[in-house]
Amino acid sequence: MVCLGNICRSPTAHGVFLQRIDHRGMADHISVDSAGTGSWHVGEAPDSRAVTAATTRGYDLRQLRARQVVLRDFEHFDYILAMDHANLHALKAQCPDHLAHKIALFLSYSDCKEQEVPDPYYSGPHGFETVLDLVEGAADGLLDQIMARHFNKSA
Ligand code: 4NP
């Protein structure tokens, strides 16, 4: 899960997807991580507004710490999912060509009409609710696809 700072959107996606994996009993089989294309917030906990909004819906983001995307991520992960087009382009610019097929927009796994999870950093609390709404839909869609593709299980 990749955004710009790794303190708002991608940790939210990380925490939501982790909970979905756990609820589906797949914690031993599927791993998730998050990172930012930028380095400003490396080492920081998620934004307190993201933590508060997530906590209200039952997700715990408090243990997460921001890091920046590294080259090894493109080798290690099967799905590298950007929260918006700017981060999609930043990832594609860094990624070796033969691994670029792993990169997609996170919301391409949702049936919503939006393509991007809007940056909530300069928004009020409503921005963080929108992030959660969009992320929850995409997390469900992504897990359904992974279950079907890699574990031969339908939703
Ligand atoms: P994120 O949000 O990419 O969802 O973590 C942002 C966090 C920090 C900044 C921008 C977006 N910033 O400009 O510092």
Side-chain angles (χ1 to χ4, degrees), residues 51-118:
V51 173
T52 300
T55 301
T56 306
R57 296 197 197 187
Y59 310 109
D60 186 1
L61 310 184
R62 290 171 304 173
Q63 306 307 313
L64 305 180
R65 292 295 176 270
R67 71 176 182 86
Q68 194 172 17
V69 173
V70 293
L71 206 50
R72 185 176 175 276
D73 290 328
F74 299 111
E75 295 278 356
H76 182 72
F77 292 98
D78 298 314
Y79 295 82
I80 300 164
L81 303 171
M83 296 298 136
D84 60 27
H85 283 109
N87 287 295
L88 182 81
H89 293 310
L91 286 166
K92 286 187 172 167
Q94 271 183 275
C95 183
D97 285 348
H98 70 286
L99 301 173
H101 61 278
K102 296 182 175 187
I103 301 171
L105 285 171
F106 184 44
L107 293 192
S108 68
Y109 288 93
S110 176
D111 54 12
C112 70
K113 66 181 189 317
E114 291 86 349
Q115 294 191 342
E116 303 188 302
V117 183

Side-chain angles (χ1 to χ4, degrees), residues 14-69:
H14 183 162
V16 168
F17 197 57
L18 202 54
Q19 190 238 49
R20 296 297 198 267
I21 292 168
D22 201 35
H23 283 187
R24 203 80 73 96
M26 296 300 288
D28 291 339
H29 304 281
I30 304 171
S31 66
V32 56
D33 199 2
S34 62
T37 55
S39 63
W40 306 281
H41 298 282
V42 167
E44 292 179 20
D47 188 290
S48 60
R49 298 165 297 173
V51 173
T52 300
T55 301
T56 306
R57 296 197 197 187
Y59 310 109
D60 186 1
L61 310 184
R62 290 171 304 173
Q63 306 307 313
L64 305 180
R65 292 295 176 270
R67 71 176 182 86
Q68 194 172 17
V69 173

Side-chain angles (χ1 to χ4, degrees), residues 3-11 40-41 87 119-122:
C3 63
L4 181 60
N6 192 209
I7 55 169
C8 298
R9 292 165 292 177
S10 59
W40 306 281
H41 298 282
N87 287 295
D119 183 350
Y121 194 62
Y122 295 105

